[in-house]
Amino acid sequence: MKGKKHSPEQIVKKLREADAMIAGGKTVGQVCQSLEISEQTLSRWRHQYGGMKSEEAKRLKELDEENKRLKKLLAEAELDKAILKEALRGNY
């Protein structure tokens, strides 16, 4: 089953709602059910986004995406370098 994708702003908003509901006396299970997320997701979000503002969460997501892109470029460059080294060793 494919889950929903939440934007960083939505995650921060849901974390705030969850904290308000828990402070209001609801259990974690009830909070997760009303937010339509699992307890594991809530815990992961708290660990990753706890205490952040929505702008900070959005910037973190952008930095993660940029980091992935740069790692991919580096891997491709290293592969090209290895291919060229292998070609230079041959009798061409």
mmCIF file of all heavy atoms in Angstrom, residues 1 3 7 13-14 18-19 22 34 37 40 44 56 58-59 61 63 66 68 74 79 85 92:
data_model
loop_
_atom_site.group_PDB
_atom_site.id
_atom_site.type_symbol
_atom_site.label_atom_id
_atom_site.label_comp_id
_atom_site.label_asym_id
_atom_site.label_seq_id
_atom_site.Cartn_x
_atom_site.Cartn_y
_atom_site.Cartn_z
ATOM 1 N N MET A 1 0.841 -1.176 0.000
ATOM 2 C CA MET A 1 0.000 0.000 0.000
ATOM 3 C C MET A 1 0.885 1.238 0.000
ATOM 4 O O MET A 1 1.773 1.379 0.822
ATOM 5 C CB MET A 1 -0.878 -0.025 1.241
ATOM 6 C CG MET A 1 -1.851 1.111 1.304
ATOM 7 S SD MET A 1 -3.033 0.779 2.598
ATOM 8 C CE MET A 1 -2.929 2.292 3.486
ATOM 9 N N GLY A 3 1.803 5.024 0.651
ATOM 10 C CA GLY A 3 1.400 6.043 1.604
ATOM 11 C C GLY A 3 1.338 7.417 0.978
ATOM 12 O O GLY A 3 1.738 7.638 -0.159
ATOM 13 N N SER A 7 4.220 17.356 2.733
ATOM 14 C CA SER A 7 5.237 18.396 2.597
ATOM 15 C C SER A 7 5.773 18.717 4.000
ATOM 16 O O SER A 7 5.116 18.436 5.012
ATOM 17 C CB SER A 7 4.634 19.642 1.962
ATOM 18 O OG SER A 7 3.757 20.287 2.872
ATOM 19 N N LYS A 13 2.807 21.195 10.766
ATOM 20 C CA LYS A 13 1.441 21.500 11.197
ATOM 21 C C LYS A 13 0.827 20.322 11.950
ATOM 22 O O LYS A 13 0.225 20.493 13.016
ATOM 23 C CB LYS A 13 0.582 21.858 9.984
ATOM 24 C CG LYS A 13 -0.828 22.242 10.333
ATOM 25 C CD LYS A 13 -1.628 22.575 9.087
ATOM 26 C CE LYS A 13 -3.080 22.839 9.451
ATOM 27 N NZ LYS A 13 -3.925 22.992 8.277
ATOM 28 N N LYS A 14 1.008 19.108 11.421
ATOM 29 C CA LYS A 14 0.442 17.926 12.076
ATOM 30 C C LYS A 14 1.128 17.655 13.417
ATOM 31 O O LYS A 14 0.477 17.211 14.367
ATOM 32 C CB LYS A 14 0.538 16.702 11.165
ATOM 33 C CG LYS A 14 -0.490 16.742 10.057
ATOM 34 C CD LYS A 14 -0.601 15.435 9.330
ATOM 35 C CE LYS A 14 -1.716 15.517 8.293
ATOM 36 N NZ LYS A 14 -2.103 14.219 7.777
ATOM 37 N N ALA A 18 -0.775 17.407 16.893
ATOM 38 C CA ALA A 18 -0.595 16.233 17.748
ATOM 39 C C ALA A 18 -0.233 16.662 19.171
ATOM 40 O O ALA A 18 -0.784 16.129 20.142
ATOM 41 C CB ALA A 18 0.493 15.318 17.185
ATOM 42 N N ASP A 19 0.672 17.614 19.301
ATOM 43 C CA ASP A 19 1.054 18.091 20.631
ATOM 44 C C ASP A 19 -0.130 18.718 21.360
ATOM 45 O O ASP A 19 -0.309 18.510 22.561
ATOM 46 C CB ASP A 19 2.201 19.109 20.523
ATOM 47 C CG ASP A 19 3.512 18.464 20.093
ATOM 48 O OD1 ASP A 19 3.648 17.225 20.252
ATOM 49 O OD2 ASP A 19 4.392 19.190 19.590
ATOM 50 N N ILE A 22 -2.489 15.856 22.477
ATOM 51 C CA ILE A 22 -1.928 15.119 23.612
ATOM 52 C C ILE A 22 -2.031 15.953 24.880
ATOM 53 O O ILE A 22 -2.364 15.435 25.947
ATOM 54 C CB ILE A 22 -0.480 14.691 23.317
ATOM 55 C CG1 ILE A 22 -0.487 13.591 22.250
ATOM 56 C CG2 ILE A 22 0.223 14.216 24.576
ATOM 57 C CD1 ILE A 22 0.879 13.206 21.727
ATOM 58 N N SER A 34 -6.654 10.207 14.417
ATOM 59 C CA SER A 34 -7.312 11.412 13.910
ATOM 60 C C SER A 34 -6.465 12.119 12.842
ATOM 61 O O SER A 34 -7.007 12.748 11.946
ATOM 62 C CB SER A 34 -7.634 12.378 15.049
ATOM 63 O OG SER A 34 -6.441 12.873 15.619
ATOM 64 N N ILE A 37 -2.154 8.913 10.539
ATOM 65 C CA ILE A 37 -0.763 8.492 10.410
ATOM 66 C C ILE A 37 -0.509 7.388 11.433
ATOM 67 O O ILE A 37 -1.288 7.217 12.371
ATOM 68 C CB ILE A 37 0.237 9.656 10.642
ATOM 69 C CG1 ILE A 37 0.036 10.291 12.018
ATOM 70 C CG2 ILE A 37 0.120 10.687 9.543
ATOM 71 C CD1 ILE A 37 1.068 11.327 12.386
ATOM 72 N N GLN A 40 4.503 5.060 14.370
ATOM 73 C CA GLN A 40 5.888 5.064 13.902
ATOM 74 C C GLN A 40 6.185 6.331 13.098
ATOM 75 O O GLN A 40 7.245 6.946 13.256
ATOM 76 C CB GLN A 40 6.152 3.832 13.045
ATOM 77 C CG GLN A 40 7.577 3.729 12.565
ATOM 78 C CD GLN A 40 7.798 2.495 11.701
ATOM 79 O OE1 GLN A 40 6.854 1.784 11.380
ATOM 80 N NE2 GLN A 40 9.026 2.254 11.341
ATOM 81 N N ARG A 44 8.900 9.206 14.021
ATOM 82 C CA ARG A 44 9.947 9.573 13.051
ATOM 83 C C ARG A 44 9.897 11.069 12.758
ATOM 84 O O ARG A 44 10.919 11.744 12.705
ATOM 85 C CB ARG A 44 9.773 8.771 11.771
ATOM 86 C CG ARG A 44 10.844 9.035 10.745
ATOM 87 C CD ARG A 44 10.724 8.078 9.574
ATOM 88 N NE ARG A 44 9.378 7.580 9.352
ATOM 89 C CZ ARG A 44 8.554 8.016 8.397
ATOM 90 N NH1 ARG A 44 8.948 8.891 7.539
ATOM 91 N NH2 ARG A 44 7.335 7.528 8.283
ATOM 92 N N GLU A 56 12.038 26.258 8.230
ATOM 93 C CA GLU A 56 13.247 25.463 8.478
ATOM 94 C C GLU A 56 13.089 24.043 7.932
ATOM 95 O O GLU A 56 14.026 23.491 7.353
ATOM 96 C CB GLU A 56 13.554 25.406 9.976
ATOM 97 C CG GLU A 56 13.930 26.740 10.569
ATOM 98 C CD GLU A 56 13.993 26.701 12.079
ATOM 99 O OE1 GLU A 56 13.351 25.827 12.700
ATOM 100 O OE2 GLU A 56 14.681 27.549 12.651
ATOM 101 N N LYS A 58 11.185 23.135 5.445
ATOM 102 C CA LYS A 58 11.219 23.215 3.989
ATOM 103 C C LYS A 58 12.664 23.338 3.507
ATOM 104 O O LYS A 58 13.065 22.676 2.552
ATOM 105 C CB LYS A 58 10.405 24.414 3.510
ATOM 106 C CG LYS A 58 10.317 24.531 2.013
ATOM 107 C CD LYS A 58 9.440 25.696 1.617
ATOM 108 C CE LYS A 58 9.336 25.805 0.111
ATOM 109 N NZ LYS A 58 8.494 26.918 -0.307
ATOM 110 N N ARG A 59 13.462 24.147 4.168
ATOM 111 C CA ARG A 59 14.868 24.315 3.799
ATOM 112 C C ARG A 59 15.643 23.006 3.988
ATOM 113 O O ARG A 59 16.482 22.652 3.165
ATOM 114 C CB ARG A 59 15.500 25.435 4.641
ATOM 115 C CG ARG A 59 16.942 25.698 4.318
ATOM 116 C CD ARG A 59 17.118 26.303 2.950
ATOM 117 N NE ARG A 59 18.531 26.501 2.711
ATOM 118 C CZ ARG A 59 19.128 26.299 1.566
ATOM 119 N NH1 ARG A 59 18.435 25.932 0.527
ATOM 120 N NH2 ARG A 59 20.410 26.476 1.426
ATOM 121 N N LYS A 61 14.459 19.981 3.720
ATOM 122 C CA LYS A 61 14.055 19.104 2.627
ATOM 123 C C LYS A 61 14.781 19.494 1.342
ATOM 124 O O LYS A 61 15.262 18.628 0.609
ATOM 125 C CB LYS A 61 12.539 19.203 2.440
ATOM 126 C CG LYS A 61 11.956 18.123 1.617
ATOM 127 C CD LYS A 61 11.944 16.834 2.359
ATOM 128 C CE LYS A 61 10.923 15.894 1.792
ATOM 129 N NZ LYS A 61 10.862 14.656 2.525
ATOM 130 N N LEU A 63 17.693 21.003 1.108
ATOM 131 C CA LEU A 63 19.096 20.638 1.257
ATOM 132 C C LEU A 63 19.302 19.139 1.071
ATOM 133 O O LEU A 63 20.300 18.710 0.471
ATOM 134 C CB LEU A 63 19.621 21.084 2.626
ATOM 135 C CG LEU A 63 19.822 22.577 2.804
ATOM 136 C CD1 LEU A 63 20.181 22.887 4.257
ATOM 137 C CD2 LEU A 63 20.897 23.099 1.879
ATOM 138 N N GLU A 66 19.171 18.474 -2.653
ATOM 139 C CA GLU A 66 20.402 18.939 -3.296
ATOM 140 C C GLU A 66 21.564 17.997 -2.984
ATOM 141 O O GLU A 66 22.380 17.686 -3.859
ATOM 142 C CB GLU A 66 20.739 20.350 -2.829
ATOM 143 C CG GLU A 66 21.960 20.924 -3.500
ATOM 144 C CD GLU A 66 22.289 22.335 -3.044
ATOM 145 O OE1 GLU A 66 21.599 22.870 -2.162
ATOM 146 O OE2 GLU A 66 23.266 22.890 -3.576
ATOM 147 N N LYS A 68 21.383 14.766 -2.353
ATOM 148 C CA LYS A 68 21.196 13.556 -3.166
ATOM 149 C C LYS A 68 21.667 13.780 -4.594
ATOM 150 O O LYS A 68 22.330 12.930 -5.186
ATOM 151 C CB LYS A 68 19.727 13.133 -3.169
ATOM 152 C CG LYS A 68 19.251 12.500 -1.899
ATOM 153 C CD LYS A 68 17.775 12.140 -2.004
ATOM 154 C CE LYS A 68 17.224 11.716 -0.669
ATOM 155 N NZ LYS A 68 15.777 11.467 -0.731
ATOM 156 N N LEU A 74 28.596 13.045 -8.227
ATOM 157 C CA LEU A 74 29.919 12.580 -7.822
ATOM 158 C C LEU A 74 30.112 11.109 -8.194
ATOM 159 O O LEU A 74 31.165 10.733 -8.705
ATOM 160 C CB LEU A 74 30.128 12.775 -6.322
ATOM 161 C CG LEU A 74 31.456 12.292 -5.764
ATOM 162 C CD1 LEU A 74 32.608 13.069 -6.377
ATOM 163 C CD2 LEU A 74 31.471 12.409 -4.249
ATOM 164 N N LEU A 79 32.709 7.116 -11.685
ATOM 165 C CA LEU A 79 32.564 6.017 -12.630
ATOM 166 C C LEU A 79 33.262 6.352 -13.950
ATOM 167 O O LEU A 79 33.982 5.525 -14.510
ATOM 168 C CB LEU A 79 31.085 5.709 -12.871
ATOM 169 C CG LEU A 79 30.758 4.551 -13.801
ATOM 170 C CD1 LEU A 79 31.344 3.246 -13.240
ATOM 171 C CD2 LEU A 79 29.272 4.418 -13.984
ATOM 172 N N LYS A 85 40.536 5.376 -16.605
ATOM 173 C CA LYS A 85 41.741 4.713 -16.095
ATOM 174 C C LYS A 85 41.873 3.312 -16.702
ATOM 175 O O LYS A 85 42.958 2.887 -17.085
ATOM 176 C CB LYS A 85 41.711 4.612 -14.568
ATOM 177 C CG LYS A 85 42.097 5.873 -13.868
ATOM 178 C CD LYS A 85 42.134 5.649 -12.363
ATOM 179 C CE LYS A 85 42.526 6.905 -11.634
ATOM 180 N NZ LYS A 85 42.547 6.716 -10.192
ATOM 181 N N TYR A 92 45.435 0.294 -26.364
ATOM 182 C CA TYR A 92 44.654 0.973 -27.408
ATOM 183 C C TYR A 92 45.523 1.930 -28.170
ATOM 184 O O TYR A 92 46.258 2.693 -27.799
ATOM 185 C CB TYR A 92 43.463 1.704 -26.803
ATOM 186 C CG TYR A 92 42.487 0.762 -26.144
ATOM 187 C CD1 TYR A 92 42.374 0.700 -24.778
ATOM 188 C CD2 TYR A 92 41.679 -0.055 -26.910
ATOM 189 C CE1 TYR A 92 41.479 -0.173 -24.167
ATOM 190 C CE2 TYR A 92 40.789 -0.922 -26.314
ATOM 191 C CZ TYR A 92 40.694 -0.962 -24.947
ATOM 192 O OH TYR A 92 39.805 -1.807 -24.368
#
